[in-house]
Amino acid sequence: MRLLLMSDTHLPRRAKALPGELLERLPHVDVVVHAGDWVDLATLDLLQERSRRLIGVYGNNDGPELRARLPEVARAELAGVRLGVVHETGAARGRERRCAERFPGLDVLVFGHSHIPWDSTAEGPLRLLNPGSPTDRRRQPYCTFMTAAIEAGRLTAVELHRLPPRR
């Protein structure tokens, strides 16, 4: 099973559209995960139309229309991996402990908010992933997203993808 992870798209405020490189991957993945701060409904509609399966949550910048269609926290079992998605996890310091306490029973938690890519493991099986943002790099050198795979009930092949600067 192949996954595409993204967050903090902030369209159309931070960019006019999702990057072509990201859109080109949609037909080749089984699940798209978006960890909030969509900002517009058009992005949600586009990803729902083009994805085999979409798992998403709302973020702090998402208004009532997006909040009506998306949960604050999403959970799914994907080929034996217990996945959770949330937008905010708080400060980096102590994140692993807080998330392990808040989300017991998960194998993977995808989050956003900071626009800073993150890959760490809490005590126990919980892996924390933040794919950064494909449209708003903030203080990061690149806009980013992640891909991963699930094989034999385990998350594998986690890869951070750097996008070229927009023209």
Side-chain angles (χ1 to χ4, degrees), residues 55-76:
I55 301 170
V57 298
Y58 67 78
N60 61 299
N61 284 295
D62 294 328
E65 293 174 322
L66 283 159
R67 289 170 187 246
R69 291 177 55 186
L70 296 163
E72 180 179 13
V73 177
R75 289 180 172 84

Side-chain angles (χ1 to χ4, degrees), residues 61-99:
N61 284 295
D62 294 328
E65 293 174 322
L66 283 159
R67 289 170 187 246
R69 291 177 55 186
L70 296 163
E72 180 179 13
V73 177
R75 289 180 172 84
E77 185 166 328
L78 303 174
V81 171
R82 297 162 302 177
L83 175 83
V85 185
V86 67
H87 184 62
E88 294 186 58
T89 60
R93 185 175 182 162
R95 177 175 286 142
E96 287 83 4
R97 179 191 47 77
R98 279 193 319 275
C99 289

Side-chain angles (χ1 to χ4, degrees), residues 3 23 25 43 48 52 56 79 86 91 99 108 149-150 156:
L3 311 176
L23 292 173
R25 291 175 181 266
T43 304
Q48 282 182 323
R52 292 181 194 166
V86 67
C99 289
V108 178
I150 296 175
T156 63

